[in-house]
Amino acid sequence: MTDDLQPRGPFRYGDRVQLTGPKGRMHTITLREGGELHTHHGVLRHDVLVGQPDGSVATNSGGHEYLALRPLLRDFVMSMPRGAAIVYPKDAAQILAAGDIFPGATVVEAGVGSGALSLWLLRAIGAEGRLLSFERRAEFAEVAEANVTTFSGSRPGNWDVVVGDLVESLPDAVAPGSVDRVVLDMLAPWECIDVVADALAPGGVVLCYIATATQLSRVAEYLRGTGLFTDPEASETMIRGWHVEGLAVRPDHRMVAHTGFLVTARRLAPGAVPPDVRKRALKKPSYADEDVELWTPGAVGDREITDKNLRKRMREAQRAADGARIAAGSGGEDESA
């Protein structure tokens, strides 16, 4: 993990800078010697920003002012190239809290998607932790690796990406009982619970990020049925912004509502049976496979990315990652983004 994940101080060549100009239009650039940002409002030279503190205002050739800030991680993940849908910042924050992701933890993630959650996890575990990410599709893994490299300036040394199925690959990747936390962001996480139980240390946390209520029911019942975990807890996170200007204080007209459910449970010690389980017999789940099929993302109209669009996103992500490597290593030869 590089120090670029928590930058501070004056801008320098190689830094990524988020510029907010007229009418709130944003541009993200990587500062390089001789670089320029060209818009229909004029030209802003990169060297005007070098040496200035974060939060400065620079003026371009047309007299228009731009607020310059290093992009926050939430800004980056919302604008980076995507192969798969991302975990939104509001859910990523809850995952870190509900999953109790701590510095030095060994964390398993599946699937990696576009790398948004990977960035949050890498920041939380710190340089002493280890993140092992699994992704079935090589194209998605390539986009994720490029995005993480773009943000951090280099590929984190404590991050491994495995292209393959978690059920088949996890037993060979980690020793039994050696993993602190497991985060599952996939269509059918219940298919992986048994292998996850073997990998988790007693007291470790499994967290599932899922889209529909039927998936929520099935994964919760499966966790209960194994007898290997505490009773699962489920939640969703909704954020409502507020307009605050003088005495005009009211909720925003739009809000970020449902994006997914979180289900968490903790690994029991071998042979342990919680007292509450002794008092009740586990009920048979009231669903069948055909019920689950009716509520999968594909069945309810969730859009799949086309191969053409995916190839475009891969090229965009790779160009950004190449530019970040060049900038971090030599002061920059890449293009403004």
Side-chain angles (χ1 to χ4, degrees), residues 11 13 17-22 25-50 52 56-69 336:
F11 293 126
Y13 290 120
V17 180
Q18 180 177 275
L19 299 170
T20 304
R25 176 74 183 275
M26 289 186 180
H27 304 270
T28 302
I29 64 173
T30 300
L31 296 180
R32 58 184 178 85
E33 294 185 41
E36 295 179 334
L37 172 67
H38 291 258
T39 71
H40 64 278
H41 291 292
V43 178
L44 179 67
R45 301 197 322 273
H46 291 195
D47 57 18
V48 172
L49 295 168
V50 173
Q52 297 299 312
S56 296
V57 175
T59 304
N60 73 356
S61 62
H64 295 277
E65 294 183 331
Y66 288 81
L67 174 64
L69 289 163
S336 297

Side-chain angles (χ1 to χ4, degrees), residues 85-87 110-113 117 183-187 189 207-210:
I86 65 167
V87 174
V112 69
L117 183 58
V183 181
L184 302 178
D185 176 13
M186 56 179 60
L187 181 63
L207 185 149
C208 303
Y209 180 60
I210 46 184

Side-chain angles (χ1 to χ4, degrees), residues 247-305:
L247 296 179
V249 180
R250 56 170 174 73
D252 284 341
H253 297 304
R254 305 176 70 178
M255 67 177 289
V256 182
H258 176 77
T259 48
F261 297 105
L262 301 183
V263 182
T264 60
R266 301 189 67 180
R267 180 68 164 94
L268 297 172
V273 180
D276 60 328
V277 174
R278 296 180 186 276
K279 296 178 182 179
R280 61 178 176 83
L282 292 175
K283 297 180 180 179
K284 183 179 179 180
S286 56
Y287 60 81
D289 288 341
E290 53 269 25
D291 298 320
V292 176
E293 183 61 30
L294 289 174
W295 286 94
T296 58
V300 297
D302 193 28
R303 295 178 60 187
E304 290 286 337
I305 187 170

Side-chain angles (χ1 to χ4, degrees), residues 76 80-82 114 119 142-152 317:
F76 179 81
M80 68 187 190
R82 303 180 189 181
S114 297
L119 282 164
E142 184 177 335
V143 171
E145 291 185 275
N147 284 331
V148 172
T149 298
T150 299
F151 185 77
S152 61

Side-chain angles (χ1 to χ4, degrees), residues 168-289:
E168 299 174 356
S169 304
L170 186 59
D172 295 328
V174 299
S178 65
V179 175
D180 298 304
R181 306 289 186 259
V182 176
V183 181
L184 302 178
D185 176 13
M186 56 179 60
L187 181 63
W190 50 86
E191 296 176 352
C192 305
I193 295 300
D194 293 334
V195 71
V196 164
D198 292 336
L200 274 173
V205 178
V206 59
L207 185 149
C208 303
Y209 180 60
I210 46 184
T212 71
T214 305
Q215 290 169 297
L216 171 63
S217 173
R218 182 158 187 174
V219 71
E221 293 300 332
Y222 194 96
L223 285 165
R224 288 192 181 102
T226 65
L228 301 175
F229 294 89
T230 59
D231 201 50
E233 299 179 3
S235 66
E236 66 175 333
T237 304
M238 292 180 280
I239 293 182
R240 183 174 71 172
W242 279 70
H243 171 87
V244 182
E245 187 174 345
L247 296 179
V249 180
R250 56 170 174 73
D252 284 341
H253 297 304
R254 305 176 70 178
M255 67 177 289
V256 182
H258 176 77
T259 48
F261 297 105
L262 301 183
V263 182
T264 60
R266 301 189 67 180
R267 180 68 164 94
L268 297 172
V273 180
D276 60 328
V277 174
R278 296 180 186 276
K279 296 178 182 179
R280 61 178 176 83
L282 292 175
K283 297 180 180 179
K284 183 179 179 180
S286 56
Y287 60 81
D289 288 341

